[in-house]
Amino acid sequence: MSIILKNVTKTYKSREVETHALKGISLEIKEGEFIVILGPSGSGKSTLLNVISGLDTPTSGVIKFKDLVLTDLSEDKLTEFRRNHLGFVFQQYNLLQNLTALENVLMGSDIGKDPLDPEEILKKVGLENQMHKYPYQLSGGEQQRVSVARSVAKNPEILFCDEPTGSLDEATSKQVLEVIERLNKELNATMVVITHNPGIGAMADRIIKMNSGNIEEIIINKEKISASQIKWG
């Protein structure tokens, strides 16, 4: 198993106002699973990603990764945990503009304990002919695929994707999702994708539907569809 959450809460305080972003979340994410966390803006889905991944600490509850209790770790140990076990893909590509696609991906592999070959990963994401180009020479979809490749090159056990297609059109989004789908199958990496787009949920093993800080429903997809078959919107 990958990650277990038990009664996890997150409360933000601003003067006299308290915002309960997570309200007692219990969840298990299994190794190699493709999970989509779905919900509207303000539902708590990004907060959930942040506490699962150690980018933020919960107000209460327990989070375990294998035998490691993340909620007991210091900030330094959480940083080490993220570096050794996790990869991240965000809506913004966050590529270094003065480095080529290959050099950006090399930055990911350089911090991995058991890294993958950067050129091979760029081939897997369909960019074998673009690896020596700079970000400004690539389309938005190609830049996002470089971002995915950079995260995967460190060989993470879990890849967290926060609205990875949020700034892309439908056709380009499906290309990026096909890459994430393929890497999940070929590398057996656990994928956790945050989105407000219900169509993306159809390609997941499970859909975690969030609303107002709660898990509203968990849907198991007995028959997943491929990224190319997604109904967009």
Side-chain angles (χ1 to χ4, degrees):
M1 59 186 70
S2 287
I3 289 190
I4 295 176
L5 290 78
K6 293 183 179 178
N7 202 28
V8 170
T9 71
K10 181 64 182 181
T11 302
Y12 296 101
K13 295 182 180 180
S14 177
R15 297 183 181 177
E16 289 81 33
V17 178
E18 288 191 351
T19 302
H20 300 284
L22 297 177
K23 303 171 183 175
I25 300 293
S26 294
L27 178 66
E28 179 181 341
I29 299 173
K30 298 174 183 176
E31 188 174 350
E33 233 185 339
F34 192 132
I35 294 284
V36 163
I37 301 177
L38 182 66
S41 178
S43 63
K45 61 186 187 297
S46 290
T47 303
L48 182 59
L49 179 145
N50 289 341
V51 298
I52 294 174
S53 63
L55 288 171
D56 199 358
T57 54
T59 303
S60 64
V62 175
I63 303 175
K64 289 183 178 180
F65 174 78
K66 297 182 177 177
D67 296 326
L68 200 61
V69 181
L70 302 185
T71 37
D72 288 346
L73 298 183
S74 66
E75 189 57 49
D76 285 347
K77 288 294 184 182
L78 274 175
T79 300
E80 185 180 330
F81 162 73
R82 291 193 299 269
R83 184 175 65 243
N84 291 339
H85 300 285
L86 308 183
F88 294 90
V89 177
F90 298 102
Q91 183 172 335
Q92 303 303 319
Y93 319 129
N94 298 322
L95 300 177
L96 292 176
Q97 297 299 309
N98 61 334
L99 299 181
T100 64
L102 178 59
E103 289 166 339
N104 268 284
V105 176
L106 274 165
M107 289 190 64
S109 65
D110 283 348
I111 61 173
K113 293 177 73 174
D114 184 24
L116 303 173
D117 180 81
E119 292 192 17
E120 285 301 313
I121 290 298
L122 280 167
K123 288 177 184 176
K124 283 184 182 293
V125 302
L127 293 176
E128 60 267 35
N129 296 321
Q130 314 279 12
M131 62 177 68
H132 298 298
K133 290 186 177 180
Y134 291 90
Y136 73 88
Q137 296 173 302
L138 302 173
S139 68
E142 288 169 339
Q143 289 186 62
Q144 187 62 298
R145 280 187 274 162
V146 173
S147 177
V148 171
R150 178 183 57 190
S151 296
V152 167
K154 67 187 283 193
N155 199 11
E157 290 167 77
I158 306 175
L159 185 65
F160 290 97
C161 305
D162 192 356
E163 297 282 7
T165 61
S167 58
L168 304 174
D169 60 41
E170 178 180 344
T172 307
S173 294
K174 288 183 177 180
Q175 291 175 358
V176 171
L177 291 169
E178 282 172 355
V179 166
I180 294 171
E181 178 181 49
R182 193 181 325 126
L183 294 172
N184 170 246
K185 291 176 181 175
E186 293 179 4
L187 303 177
N188 198 40
T190 305
M191 300 287 178
V192 180
V193 176
I194 305 291
T195 183
H196 65 275
N197 185 339
I200 295 174
M203 60 184 286
D205 293 305
R206 286 190 296 160
I207 304 167
I208 313 298
K209 295 183 77 172
M210 296 284 298
N211 197 18
S212 301
N214 292 300
I215 293 178
E216 194 173 56
E217 185 181 7
I218 296 179
I219 299 170
I220 299 171
N221 284 330
K222 293 181 180 178
E223 292 187 16
K224 299 191 293 183
I225 67 171
S226 66
S228 61
Q229 296 173 302
I230 289 172
K231 293 182 180 177
W232 207 248

